[in-house]
């Protein structure tokens, strides 16, 4: 657990993203795919599949998973981990929704752009 309060950056409204859809946010740490599930949970993962770089934002969202559009690997949106027999993980950024606004953890982005 991070002892320091996080810095959050607003990237838009929840309603900007269709249910079971995604929106890409360009950051210094690269493109982040922000997903909205059917029940309005929001997750932020790198928009790059660890298999061969497929754009996860263009994948199919089902439940709390997304299927990569290129070769159908499935990733858990809550952990970033590949499911089934496939192995790999997508880097995640902490995200929360406050009064309908989507906020990304600026600390996570800064840490990743520095590495
Ligand atoms: S690039 Fe995503 S499954 Fe191959």
């Amino acid at each position: 657990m991070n002892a320091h309060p996080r810095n959050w950056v607003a990237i838009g409204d929840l309603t900007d993203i269709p249910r079971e859809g995604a929106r890409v946010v360009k950051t210094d740490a690269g493109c982040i795919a922000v997903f909205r599930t059917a029940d309005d949970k929001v997750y932020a993962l790198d928009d790059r599949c660890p298999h061969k770089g497929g754009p996860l934002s263009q994948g199919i969202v089902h439940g709390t998973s997304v299927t990569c559009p290129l070769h159908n690997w499935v990733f858990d949106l809550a952990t970033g981990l590949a499911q089934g027999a496939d192995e790999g993980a997508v880097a995640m950024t902490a995200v929360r929704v406050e009064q309908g606004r989507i906020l990304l953890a600026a600390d996570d982005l800064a840490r990743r752009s520095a590495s």
Side-chain angles (χ1 to χ4, degrees), residues 48-56 68-75 86:
R48 187 179 158 74
C49 178
H51 179 219
K52 291 194 175 171
L56 293 175
C68 179
L70 292 196
H71 314 99
N72 297 325
W73 283 26
V74 178
F75 296 90
D86 300 317

Side-chain angles (χ1 to χ4, degrees), residues 11 15 20 26 29 31 39 41-42 60-61 63 76 78 90 115:
I11 52 121
T15 52
E20 298 192 306
K26 291 192 172 129
C31 289
D39 57 355
K41 292 197 179 79
V42 175
I60 307 269
V61 176
D76 185 333
V90 188
S115 63

Side-chain angles (χ1 to χ4, degrees), residues 6-80:
R6 290 179 184 273
N7 295 311
W8 299 91
V9 54
I11 52 121
D13 293 337
L14 179 64
T15 52
D16 293 343
I17 307 175
R19 287 198 169 111
E20 298 192 306
R23 179 177 153 197
V24 178
V25 179
K26 291 192 172 129
T27 75
D28 290 345
C31 289
I32 308 285
V34 182
F35 296 92
R36 177 182 178 188
T37 64
D39 57 355
D40 292 338
K41 292 197 179 79
V42 175
Y43 300 96
L45 282 71
D46 279 7
D47 189 22
R48 187 179 158 74
C49 178
H51 179 219
K52 291 194 175 171
L56 293 175
S57 60
Q58 294 175 33
I60 307 269
V61 176
H62 43 102
T64 53
S65 302
V66 62
T67 299
C68 179
L70 292 196
H71 314 99
N72 297 325
W73 283 26
V74 178
F75 296 90
D76 185 333
L77 292 171
T79 64

Side-chain angles (χ1 to χ4, degrees), residues 2 6-7 29 92-95 105-113:
N2 190 342
R6 290 179 184 273
N7 295 311
M92 304 194 53
T93 299
V95 62
D107 300 349
D108 284 359
L109 299 174
R111 195 164 29 247
R112 294 232 306 281
S113 60

